[in-house]
Amino acid sequence: SYELTQPPSVSVSPGQTARITCSGDALPKQFAYWYQQKPGQAPMLVIYKDTERPSGIPERFSGSSSGTAVTLTISGVQTEDEADYYCQSPDSSGTYVIFGGGTKLTVL
Amino acid sequence: QVQLVQSGAEVKKPGASVKVSCKASGYTFTSHYMHWVRQAPGQGLEWMGIINPSGGSTTYAQKFQGRLTMTRDTSTSKVYMELSSLRSEDTAVYYCARDRALAPYYYDAMDVWGQGTTVTVSS
C-alpha cells in the first residue's frame, strides 16, 4: 500500500532553520499538505498545495517540492513551533488520502 | 466564523458500535466535503474516509470498509461517523475536518477541524 515517509524527529535551536521532508512515489502527481499539531490540540493546516500558506500562518513557514519529495521549511524557528508535523496527500489514483507518520520537531 | 463542533466522549464495550456527530456552522454545509480522521494514543493521524454532504456519497479507507458508515443530515448541518464491531485498537480521538475545495471538487487541504471526540473501547 502507498506510504508517505517522514523522519520521526528533527531538532533545531531557536532562530535556526528546520527542514522536514516527506517522500512518496505519487508526490510528483499529487499535491502535498502539511499540518502542525500541538499536544492536546487538533491539527492545523500550515501549507497547502505544496507551497501555499493559509492566511494567518507566519511567513517563516514555507513549502517546496522536488520529484518524489516535499519539504516543510521553518525559518527562524521559535519555541512555539515545537510540535508534531504531518504531511498528507492523496494516493496516486486520487482515491484515498494518506498521512505521513509524523515528525516531532524539538526546539532545543 | 467557520466552526465544526463534535459530540462528547464515548466509552464502549468491545463489539459495540459508536456514532459521533459533527455540526458545521459559518458556511454553506453542502459546499464542502467532510473527512474523518482518527488518532490513537501516542500515534499519528489516520484517514478514515470522506463524505459529500450534498449527495451523501462516501469513500472509505480500505481498512474500515464493512465497519464504517458516514451519513449526513442537511437539515441540521451535521455529519455522522459510525464505527461498528469495536475493538480495543479503535480507542482514539476522532476528528471531522472540512475539505478546503468547493464541491464538486475535493481532496484539497483539511482547513477546518473539529475539537475531537475521544472514543474509549474497554471491557
Side-chain angles (χ1 to χ4, degrees):
Chain A
S1 62
Y2 183 59
E3 292 183 350
L4 293 173
T5 302
Q6 299 180 235
S9 63
V10 169
S11 298
V12 295
S13 299
Q16 290 189 326
T17 296
R19 294 181 179 85
I20 300 172
T21 59
C22 172
S23 61
D25 289 341
L27 289 177
K29 296 185 291 186
Q30 301 287 0
F31 284 122
Y33 308 88
W34 290 95
Y35 303 87
Q36 176 194 71
Q37 187 181 33
K38 296 182 179 180
Q41 296 184 16
M44 179 178 70
L45 178 68
V46 293
I47 294 290
Y48 66 97
K49 291 188 176 180
D50 290 350
T51 62
E52 301 298 315
R53 192 173 53 247
S55 61
I57 300 300
E59 290 184 10
R60 63 181 182 272
F61 288 85
S62 64
S64 61
S65 174
S66 180
T68 58
V70 292
T71 301
L72 172 69
T73 301
I74 310 172
S75 304
V77 167
Q78 300 183 7
T79 55
E80 68 203 51
D81 300 329
E82 186 164 281
D84 293 326
Y85 291 85
Y86 294 90
C87 62
Q88 173 247 307
S89 183
D91 66 357
S92 57
S93 69
T95 305
Y96 304 112
V97 169
I98 308 296
F99 282 98
T103 298
K104 181 175 183 58
L105 176 66
T106 300
V107 182
L108 302 168
Chain B
Q1 72 282 21
V2 177
Q3 199 173 5
L4 301 176
V5 179
Q6 299 182 219
S7 50
E10 303 265 10
V11 179
K12 297 292 182 180
K13 294 194 181 303
S17 296
V18 69
K19 192 171 186 177
V20 178
S21 69
C22 169
K23 181 174 175 60
S25 61
Y27 71 98
T28 302
F29 175 68
T30 52
S31 292
H32 294 264
Y33 283 56
M34 195 77 77
H35 301 263
W36 287 91
V37 176
R38 77 177 186 179
Q39 187 171 36
Q43 303 300 308
L45 301 174
E46 181 175 31
W47 182 77
M48 300 180 71
I50 189 171
I51 183 168
N52 176 359
S54 179
S57 61
T58 56
T59 299
Y60 302 142
Q62 290 182 317
K63 174 178 180 177
F64 299 103
Q65 289 179 13
R67 282 207 303 145
L68 178 59
T69 304
M70 294 182 186
T71 56
R72 93 289 187 219
D73 183 341
T74 56
S75 68
T76 59
S77 298
K78 285 186 175 181
V79 294
Y80 298 89
M81 185 283 300
E82 184 171 19
L83 190 62
S84 62
S85 302
L86 290 170
R87 33 205 188 237
S88 58
E89 309 90 88
D90 295 317
T91 294
V93 177
Y94 290 76
Y95 295 101
C96 58
R98 189 186 79 161
D99 194 284
R100 180 181 167 272
L102 283 173
Y105 302 102
Y106 56 97
Y107 284 170
D108 198 313
M110 300 177 200
D111 65 344
V112 182
W113 292 68
Q115 83 275 20
T117 297
T118 299
V119 174
T120 303
V121 183
S122 174
S123 54

